[in-house]
Amino acid sequence: MNKPRHFISLLDLTSDEIRALIQRAMVLKNTRNPDFQPLKGQVLAMIFEKSSTRTRISFETGMTNFGGSAIFLSPRDTQLGRGEPIKDSAMVISSMVDAIMLRTNDHATVIEFAEHSSVPVINGLTDLLHPCQLLADMQTYFEHRGDIQGKTVSWIGDGNNMCHSYINAAIQLDFNLQIACPESYLPDTEMIKSAGSRVQVFKSPLDAAKDSDLIVTDVWASMGQEQEQQKRELAFKDYQITQEIMDNAHADALFMHCLPAHRGEEVAADVIDGAQSVIYDEAENRLHAQKALLELLMCA
Ligand code: CP
Ligand code: NVA
């Protein structure tokens, strides 16, 4: 069996491929042609261990736009959810469909699934990474401001799956990433190291925002951490993105958040609903960037 091409991490594509994918996503967004159906008859299985609005709707719509279809599978719908081995599930499901998207609690599940899948596997979010979101975020930056190479991005908040994917994006697209997280919530040390001098860690959110072109944050308690909500609210109380933080960045800095967001927690309402925020473009671009990804993986 030929090994299929997977998208588990941004590092699975080359820098040139990511740039080409972003350009393609912009073309797809601006030239909606119902007769263009490169995935006619093809099927994407979508396995979700956690909730989703954007990921589910964008992949399902993308497949339909391209003439294919998508099957939504929650843990209640599959034997995987009842403990069928990952290998067996991957062998069987991949024998029937053309690509598989997974959103899992544990990153190791996606890795093991991909090892045994005969078709491309796409990471739709794990506890470690959220690479599809980064394709949309980068498309959004390119649309508003042009290439991100050499620019400065600030990640302020939890050193979580989104932060890890921002580190990978900094490596691939060659931008500086200024991170500020509470001491116990820093991103993975090895990942920080892998980015070399591109990633800098600051103690203060104001310092991390200095000279920035893009300020990004995410929820303080990710899916699966709901029981830590109160503890995290205390730990992160000085990390809210306020207008004061935005004012420490460049005057034309953008604000992004992958959503869902909690106004008054990780971001002040006047920032997320303000003039510098591009959250709704960012969310819409999930559709266009993932269509470019599906084309790359499934039409090769
Ligand atoms: N940003 C994101 O992945 O949203 P969903 O959880 O709604 O898919
Ligand atoms: N960090 C968040 C992202 C949600 C899209 C989570 O994992 O829940």
Side-chain angles (χ1 to χ4, degrees):
M1 157 180 116
N2 280 340
K3 278 267 169 217
R5 183 117 200 240
H6 302 305
F7 182 66
I8 312 282
S9 151
L10 287 176
L11 304 180
D12 293 334
L13 302 182
T14 65
S15 305
D16 285 349
E17 282 175 326
I18 295 175
R19 280 203 164 73
L21 189 151
I22 291 167
Q23 296 303 328
R24 179 66 183 149
M26 294 198 268
V27 169
L28 288 169
K29 182 175 185 174
N30 295 321
T31 54
R32 300 194 194 192
N33 172 6
D35 296 328
F36 180 62
Q37 302 207 325
L39 299 182
K40 198 167 182 346
Q42 296 207 44
V43 178
L44 174 75
M46 306 189 299
I47 298 172
F48 282 94
E49 289 181 358
K50 305 185 194 188
S51 308
S52 169
T53 296
R54 282 144 286 265
T55 305
R56 180 200 173 159
I57 295 171
S58 52
F59 271 111
E60 193 161 337
T61 302
M63 284 303 294
T64 306
N65 287 170
F66 274 171
S69 59
I71 306 174
F72 171 77
L73 299 160
S74 81
R76 275 178 310 172
D77 302 313
T78 62
Q79 298 289 5
L80 186 62
R82 292 181 59 244
E84 183 168 8
I86 294 168
K87 176 183 173 185
D88 291 352
S89 302
M91 299 285 294
V92 171
I93 298 170
S94 68
S95 73
M96 300 182 193
V97 302
D98 302 285
I100 301 164
M101 187 240 84
L102 287 105
R103 168 169 285 194
T104 62
N105 295 307
D106 190 350
H107 190 72
T109 304
V110 173
I111 300 284
E112 186 179 347
F113 201 101
E115 261 166 35
H116 300 289
S117 171
S118 56
V119 298
V121 166
I122 297 169
N123 178 357
L125 179 147
T126 66
D127 57 345
L128 190 73
L129 298 173
H130 194 5
C132 289
Q133 183 67 51
L134 259 291
L135 297 178
D137 285 25
M138 292 300 102
Q139 180 188 343
T140 308
Y141 190 89
F142 277 58
E143 277 175 354
H144 282 267
R145 298 283 183 263
D147 202 310
I148 201 164
Q149 182 169 30
K151 302 286 182 183
T152 297
V153 177
S154 307
W155 177 272
I156 297 170
D158 191 12
N160 64 9
N161 45 8
M162 276 297 297
C163 180
H164 290 148
S165 284
Y166 261 94
I167 294 174
N168 286 340
I171 295 170
Q172 293 288 51
L173 296 177
D174 193 23
F175 59 80
N176 305 309
L177 183 61
Q178 304 186 155
I179 296 176
C181 309
E183 190 111 9
S184 316
Y185 298 94
L186 285 164
D188 181 77
T189 317
E190 289 308 312
M191 287 192 71
I192 294 177
K193 270 198 213 144
S194 72
S197 58
R198 285 193 198 89
V199 171
Q200 273 188 289
V201 178
F202 294 80
K203 282 216 156 46
S204 130
L206 273 173
D207 290 343
K210 198 159 173 357
D211 297 327
S212 185
D213 299 292
L214 168 63
I215 307 272
V216 198
T217 192
D218 187 13
V219 290
W220 290 340
S222 284
M223 289 182 277
Q225 298 170 335
E226 290 80 1
Q227 71 295 348
E228 296 176 27
Q229 178 68 31
Q230 281 189 338
K231 183 177 128 197
R232 283 171 171 265
E233 275 178 31
L234 263 180
F236 286 91
K237 67 178 173 23
D238 298 326
Y239 288 78
Q240 183 183 93
I241 308 298
T242 56
Q243 196 54 50
E244 188 193 1
I245 289 188
M246 294 302 297
D247 290 344
N248 229 30
H250 285 151
D252 68 346
L254 299 174
F255 171 78
M256 291 192 200
H257 187 309
C258 65
L259 306 181
H262 300 97
R263 288 164 174 79
E265 285 184 33
E266 72 273 11
V267 58
D270 60 344
V271 171
I272 195 167
D273 298 319
Q276 289 167 276
S277 173
V278 289
I279 54 165
Y280 298 123
D281 291 340
E282 185 188 357
E284 181 191 331
N285 284 338
R286 293 293 303 276
L287 171 65
H288 310 297
Q290 285 160 202
K291 282 172 75 173
L293 177 68
L294 291 167
E295 203 178 39
L296 176 74
L297 298 179
M298 298 175 76
C299 296

